[in-house]
Amino acid sequence: MNDDYFMKMALKEAEKAFQSDEVPVGAVVVFQDRIIARAHNLSERLNDVTAHAEMQAITSAMNMLGAKYLSGCTIYVTVEPCIMCAGALGWSQISRIVYGASDEKRGYSLFSPSPLHPKTEVTRGIMEKECSQLMSSFFKGKR
Amino acid sequence: MNDDYFMKMALKEAEKAFQSDEVPVGAVVVFQDRIIARAHNLSERLNDVTAHAEMQAITSAMNMLGAKYLSGCTIYVTVEPCIMCAGALGWSQISRIVYGASDEKRGYSLFSPSPLHPKTEVTRGIMEKECSQLMSSFFKGKR
């Protein structure tokens, strides 16, 4: 049970999104080495731009814990969060964010100041190749 | 039916939040001079940091229109949106944002680049006094 293991679980979620013709992003939230929430992007199915994988995973983890804060939790997400999702992660005070592929057009790290909580630790590039390949295949199929 | 009228409707929503001991922010979404969504902050009741008034109003308006984009719509919100909500409004491509009080600590305008869609028009300061007084009363009661 390490970062690669949990990112693989997030990738499984992303593959579900891919199969439903959604931008393939998946996320899991981990607390005390257990996955407490899994989600994938549902923007098209729900006609809702707020239905990103991270937003759903955050809401679901909060429901699970019965708490408004995710301190002690880690989110694994296949692609760098956008500014909306990073804003939500900031409010949640999540302890750690692990992501696979960077998003050079829409990623939160393009913005300043950082929307994250100052104590949140960020790890980038876990299974980056697999995460970005899934995105490339998706957008290639759209052209 | 002008900006003051719709902001009053947003303030009514904010008052509902106040009465439920939630940070008093309210929002309405207007399309073709009709209110198609109303919401107030429910973060405490739902234990969910993503349950801001704007997020709920956006999701509700998209459901109402059956569309992922809110072009042609205006959101009236009593307080300047945070970066999460502004990110969501950016994805929605909403035509116009009207807000009452500025949020000097958490408002989206502290961030750059702007998370909004380049075509989104922003109007600030509508019924500013009423909107900010409601916030001040709330936080005064908390001390």
Side-chain angles (χ1 to χ4, degrees), chain A residues 43-44 46-50 52 55 58-59 62-63 66-68 82-84 87-88 91-92 106 110-113 115, chain B residues 43-44 46-50 52 55 59 62-63 66-68 82-84 87-88 91-92 106 110-113 115:
Chain A
S43 302
E44 298 300 324
L46 301 180
N47 268 330
D48 186 351
V49 294
T50 74
H52 284 189
M55 300 301 281
I58 292 167
T59 296
M62 285 168 174
N63 282 341
K68 226 181 61 163
C82 75
I83 191 70
M84 168 183 72
W91 285 118
S92 81
R106 293 286 202 161
L110 297 168
F111 292 80
S112 64
Chain B
S43 301
E44 298 301 325
L46 301 180
N47 268 330
D48 186 350
V49 294
T50 73
H52 285 190
M55 299 302 280
T59 296
M62 284 169 175
N63 282 342
K68 223 180 62 163
C82 74
I83 191 69
M84 168 182 73
W91 286 117
S92 81
R106 294 288 203 159
L110 297 168
F111 292 81
S112 65

Side-chain angles (χ1 to χ4, degrees), chain A residues 99-116:
Chain A
Y99 66 82
S102 291
D103 182 345
E104 285 165 22
K105 284 188 187 161
R106 293 286 202 161
Y108 79 90
S109 59
L110 297 168
F111 292 80
S112 64
S114 169
L116 303 180

Side-chain angles (χ1 to χ4, degrees), chain B residues 16-28:
Chain B
K16 287 184 204 169
F18 186 95
Q19 282 153 22
S20 314
D21 210 27
E22 300 273 0
V23 175
V25 182
V28 300

Side-chain angles (χ1 to χ4, degrees), chain B residues 24-94:
Chain B
V25 182
V28 300
V29 176
V30 173
F31 180 62
Q32 295 176 345
D33 270 339
R34 273 183 55 215
I35 294 177
I36 60 166
R38 303 169 191 262
H40 58 271
N41 181 28
L42 287 173
S43 301
E44 298 301 325
R45 193 187 320 168
L46 301 180
N47 268 330
D48 186 350
V49 294
T50 73
H52 285 190
E54 301 95 311
M55 299 302 280
Q56 296 177 77
I58 292 167
T59 296
S60 174
M62 284 169 175
N63 282 342
M64 179 76 179
L65 297 175
K68 223 180 62 163
Y69 296 106
L70 297 180
S71 36
C73 293
T74 300
I75 189 167
Y76 291 82
V77 53
T78 56
V79 180
E80 180 183 351
C82 74
I83 191 69
M84 168 182 73
C85 294
L89 289 165
W91 286 117
S92 81
Q93 303 186 14
I94 198 161

